[in-house]
Amino acid sequence: MRWNDLYIAGVGSYLPEQVETADEAIAAGRYTSKKKAVNGYRAVRVAAPGEIGPMMAAKAGRQAVERSGHDPEEFGLVLHSYLGHPGLDMWTPASYVQRETVGGSGPAYEIKQGCNGMLAALELGGSFVTGRPDVTAALVTAGDAFRMPYIDRWGTDEQTVEGDGAAAFVLSSRGGFARVRSTFSIGDSSLESMGRSGAAWTDVPFPGGETIRVSARKRDYLLAEDLELDGAIEKIAGNVKYSLEHALKEAEVESADIRFFLHQHIAESIATHAIYGLLGVDRATSTFDWGLDLGMVGTADPVLGLDHVIATRSPRPGDIAVLQGAGAGYVWSVAVLEFLETPHWAA
């Protein structure tokens, strides 16, 4: 979809101070040298005791709101996404984030679409802001703290390593430092069972207190008798490429125009094939190497990358940034942004 009056007015991020390295995890028997060599992760950030994802999201959200120049009463929507346990069951973390940031009487909703949640929220929030004359701004946040025994950041997935942290951005119909030129999302539910294959239905969350094993579900999926592996890979690769091509077409942008390509902190082996090889993206335009010291921070990676390039790479008016994500289920999203100015907090 091409957007005419949708802007990013502020961006915020929060990363805990504590660092846990891959070498420390290897020494503790939680990771292996082989996985480190293949996946590329060097370290992650670890939330302090009692520091939950919504708390970190609220910190990032307050920073984004302050930078945006919007008053709290201008916000008509808050969207919050996450992957892991938000601190309590039967609770409303989106409303908590709203209370801790902008308050007000607008609705607060959770967006749950795996690792793609934050980019999905950008597209949904954009529709809300531009379609409601009484709404000027929306706050979008993401935050996760991955803890044992529910999730083993070094072992729940054979390829991905999870890091703690949060990010936020403000969508505005009034103006901002960047214009959203286009967004595009595409889904393929035929791949949904990849996230649950071999897992039995449960009556309660976290039954038995056993650590989630995402990789075991993937193995069961790949071993299913009726699965055509080549067909599944073709679908995934095809939709990664199609979503980018479609978003660029809607934005009237060529791939050569991209200065920043901001994607998830996936394993290096996957990024090399599915991003740089498949899409022809120049790795130097990304923040991927920086992200190998953070791990995959829930749904927040592309927005963390956006905040990072603002702070370190001197974006200029006219620069194009592409945010790309995917979430199991499967849904792929791409957003194309054009910098209108260097954000005032980076000048």
Side-chain angles (χ1 to χ4, degrees):
M1 177 174 178
R2 182 178 177 88
W3 301 90
N4 294 318
D5 298 299
L6 182 63
Y7 304 89
I8 305 293
V11 178
S13 61
Y14 175 80
L15 294 169
E17 292 184 4
Q18 182 180 344
V19 175
E20 184 178 18
T21 67
D23 289 339
E24 289 172 337
I26 292 168
R30 297 179 62 194
Y31 205 47
T32 68
S33 297
K34 181 179 179 180
K35 289 180 181 178
K36 178 186 175 184
V38 172
N39 298 334
Y41 297 108
R42 296 182 294 262
V44 296
R45 298 294 183 92
V46 178
E51 189 174 43
I52 61 172
M55 288 180 180
M56 295 187 286
K59 291 178 180 179
R62 287 192 291 270
Q63 184 180 55
V65 171
E66 181 180 358
R67 288 171 168 177
S68 76
H70 280 279
D71 294 326
E73 58 268 22
E74 296 181 86
F75 286 82
L77 177 69
V78 174
L79 299 176
H80 176 66
S81 67
Y82 59 96
L83 289 181
H85 180 58
L88 287 173
D89 290 320
M90 298 289 287
W91 181 52
T92 53
S95 294
Y96 169 87
V97 171
Q98 181 183 33
R99 193 194 75 168
E100 295 293 313
T101 53
V102 297
S105 58
Y109 300 131
E110 295 178 22
I111 303 296
K112 297 278 285 182
Q113 186 45 54
C115 301
N116 197 45
M118 200 170 196
L119 290 188
L122 189 160
E123 191 161 48
L124 294 171
S127 298
F128 194 96
V129 169
T130 59
R132 295 280 298 269
D134 58 328
V135 174
T136 305
L139 175 64
V140 178
T141 67
D144 269 293
F146 299 100
R147 290 192 169 92
M148 290 283 282
Y150 184 59
I151 292 178
D152 178 359
R153 69 175 78 250
W154 297 102
T156 285
D157 192 292
E158 289 292 312
Q159 294 175 305
T160 302
V161 170
E162 281 80 26
D164 300 342
F169 61 87
V170 172
L171 287 171
S172 174
S173 60
R174 188 179 72 192
F177 70 86
R179 177 166 68 97
V180 182
R181 292 186 61 151
S182 73
T183 58
F184 182 76
S185 293
I186 185 172
D188 188 341
S189 60
S190 70
L191 299 167
E192 170 273 328
S193 58
M194 188 181 295
R196 63 169 170 84
S197 186
W201 304 119
T202 64
D203 294 326
V204 295
F206 197 34
E210 297 179 356
T211 301
I212 293 174
R213 297 294 179 188
V214 173
S215 290
R217 298 178 189 178
K218 292 179 181 178
R219 284 194 295 269
D220 289 337
Y221 176 81
L222 294 174
L223 292 172
E225 294 181 3
D226 60 348
L227 173 68
E228 294 182 5
L229 179 57
D230 289 343
I233 294 175
E234 184 178 349
K235 286 181 179 180
I236 293 172
N239 283 311
V240 169
K241 193 171 184 179
Y242 180 73
S243 59
L244 176 62
E245 291 175 344
H246 200 92
L248 292 177
K249 181 179 179 180
E250 289 284 340
E252 298 181 345
V253 167
E254 301 292 333
S255 58
D257 299 327
I258 300 171
R259 184 178 178 201
F260 307 115
F261 192 93
L262 310 171
H263 62 86
Q264 295 158 308
H265 304 156
I266 52 182
E268 183 153 12
S269 55
I270 300 175
T272 299
H273 171 73
I275 301 294
Y276 308 120
L278 177 67
L279 303 178
V281 171
D282 183 355
R283 184 164 174 161
T285 65
S286 77
T287 58
F288 182 65
D289 291 291
W290 169 74
L292 292 176
D293 284 316
L294 302 179
M296 181 177 279
V297 186
T299 74
D301 291 345
V303 179
L304 286 173
L306 179 61
D307 196 32
H308 183 67
V309 298
I310 290 171
T312 63
R313 299 194 189 177
S314 303
R316 303 180 300 270
D319 283 346
I320 299 296
V322 170
L323 281 63
Q324 188 264 353
Y330 254 83
V331 177
W332 298 262
S333 292
V334 174
V336 180
L337 312 181
E338 177 188 0
F339 279 87
L340 303 177
E341 61 187 26
T342 300
H344 65 84
W345 63 89

